[in-house]
Amino acid sequence: MNRIAALLILLGFAPSAHATCVPRREKVLHVDLRSGAVTIVPEPPSAPPRPSPPAPLYVERREGAVVVSRAEGTGPLATFPVPAPHDWWSDVVGDLVLVGISSGDLHAVDGTTGRVLWSVHGAPPGRNAADLGGGRFSLDFPDGLHVLDAATGATRYVVPLRSAYRAHLRPLAGGRWIALSGDEAAVFAASSGKVAWRRPIHGADGGAVVGGALAVPGLEGPPGPDAPARIRLVLYDLRTGFPKRRLPLGESACGRAVVAAPLDDHTVAVTIDCEECFALLSLAPPGRPRCAA
């Protein structure tokens, strides 16, 4: 036994023979939801660009304040103090530039003129703004998805979720939206906030809407100590939230699988985190699946 292994044992860490995995690359599968056919493609699809403030506005932090200006370093059009030790964020919703400050302020600036349209004070504002149309936008809060009036900043309704931080929103037919947050999904009407259904769905935030279904990758049975996790694609009915079909993908990975994008009405791209594996001294806990070579 070498010195490192002996030291680890003295410190209470028991080396095991399980594989140690490190990120290597991504594998992308195209899955036909009609036939279940799986095709491996060489490169993952590129992520969509994040929206930026409408030109010519620029948002930056200067000497304890957030400043909205025409360009970097130019004269301010709007200034919002950021008291220490609070942080801030900015986002774009339609023609609005939103500035949130964790001390409890949310400001909306006209994306063309830089004029402050409204400010809301109170609880720390949520994040991850999304435009729902009809003069509404949403923000993620710990207790759910808050939908605000774009003209005034007033809260119209709240879609309850266990934790809506980093929720993904997808439009559906009939003015409905689906919110995918962690291991939970909910379908609601954008006009009223009425929730059609809300269910626990493992890995929901890695899913995508395609062909009238929610496609979510999951594990095909429990992994064993010497076998990697097997991936399957579960299709959920958007009317009820219940599973209606399961497609085994014939692939394995220790990393996470997500539906990167719907390609058309019956095909999705699934991205799997592949990992390099080493059967050397490992501190991986017993029961962690061994990755595929």
Side-chain angles (χ1 to χ4, degrees), residues 237-251:
D237 193 321
L238 289 176
R239 297 168 300 178
T240 64
F242 291 113
K244 62 179 184 179
R245 191 180 178 194
R246 292 174 172 84
L247 298 174
L249 301 187
E251 292 291 328

Side-chain angles (χ1 to χ4, degrees), residues 100-163:
I101 301 172
S102 63
S103 58
D105 299 327
L106 178 64
H107 308 280
V109 177
D110 186 293
T112 302
T113 66
R115 182 171 62 93
V116 179
L117 299 177
W118 50 260
S119 297
V120 176
H121 310 282
R127 295 175 180 260
N128 195 25
D131 190 351
L132 301 184
R136 294 173 292 264
F137 68 93
S138 66
L139 291 173
D140 299 349
F141 280 77
D143 64 338
L145 198 69
H146 290 221
V147 176
L148 281 65
D149 190 309
T152 65
T155 299
R156 289 193 176 185
Y157 56 82
V158 177
V159 178
L161 292 169
R162 286 193 301 271
S163 178

Side-chain angles (χ1 to χ4, degrees), residues 5-290:
L7 178 60
L8 290 172
I9 291 176
L10 288 175
L11 294 175
F13 295 96
S16 71
H18 295 276
T20 296
C21 308
V22 297
R24 181 182 61 188
R25 67 185 187 281
E26 289 183 335
K27 180 185 292 184
V28 179
L29 312 176
H30 286 182
V31 184
D32 190 311
L33 303 184
R34 297 174 301 181
S35 64
V38 177
T39 304
I40 300 177
V41 295
E43 295 293 336
S46 59
R50 182 172 175 80
S52 58
L57 296 190
Y58 188 84
V59 183
E60 61 182 330
R61 182 164 184 169
R62 301 183 197 168
E63 299 180 353
V66 177
V67 175
V68 180
S69 60
R70 294 290 182 189
E72 183 177 5
T74 61
L77 299 173
T79 302
F80 308 111
V82 182
H86 295 283
D87 62 353
W88 67 281
W89 57 265
S90 66
D91 214 331
V92 178
V93 175
D95 294 328
L96 297 181
V97 176
L98 300 175
V99 176
I101 301 172
S102 63
S103 58
D105 299 327
L106 178 64
H107 308 280
V109 177
D110 186 293
T112 302
T113 66
R115 182 171 62 93
V116 179
L117 299 177
W118 50 260
S119 297
V120 176
H121 310 282
R127 295 175 180 260
N128 195 25
D131 190 351
L132 301 184
R136 294 173 292 264
F137 68 93
S138 66
L139 291 173
D140 299 349
F141 280 77
D143 64 338
L145 198 69
H146 290 221
V147 176
L148 281 65
D149 190 309
T152 65
T155 299
R156 289 193 176 185
Y157 56 82
V158 177
V159 178
L161 292 169
R162 286 193 301 271
S163 178
Y165 275 130
R166 302 189 67 181
H168 303 284
L169 291 174
R170 302 289 184 268
L172 304 177
R176 300 177 306 153
W177 287 74
I178 185 169
L180 308 173
S181 176
D183 292 331
E184 189 175 20
V187 168
F188 64 96
S191 59
S192 64
K194 182 179 179 181
V195 176
W197 57 262
R198 173 189 171 197
R199 308 206 185 284
I201 296 178
H202 182 69
D205 60 346
V209 175
V210 58
L214 172 63
V216 179
L219 297 181
E220 184 69 48
D226 297 316
R230 307 292 293 180
I231 304 298
R232 68 180 177 188
L233 195 64
V234 184
L235 304 183
Y236 293 87
D237 193 321
L238 289 176
R239 297 168 300 178
T240 64
F242 291 113
K244 62 179 184 179
R245 191 180 178 194
R246 292 174 172 84
L247 298 174
L249 301 187
E251 292 291 328
S252 59
C254 294
R256 189 167 183 264
V258 299
V259 175
L263 302 178
D264 52 41
D265 287 341
H266 55 82
T267 310
V268 295
V270 178
T271 300
I272 299 176
D273 292 334
C274 303
E275 295 177 323
E276 196 83 61
C277 303
F278 301 90
L280 303 175
L281 177 68
S282 171
L283 300 180
R288 173 164 179 167
R290 183 184 299 274

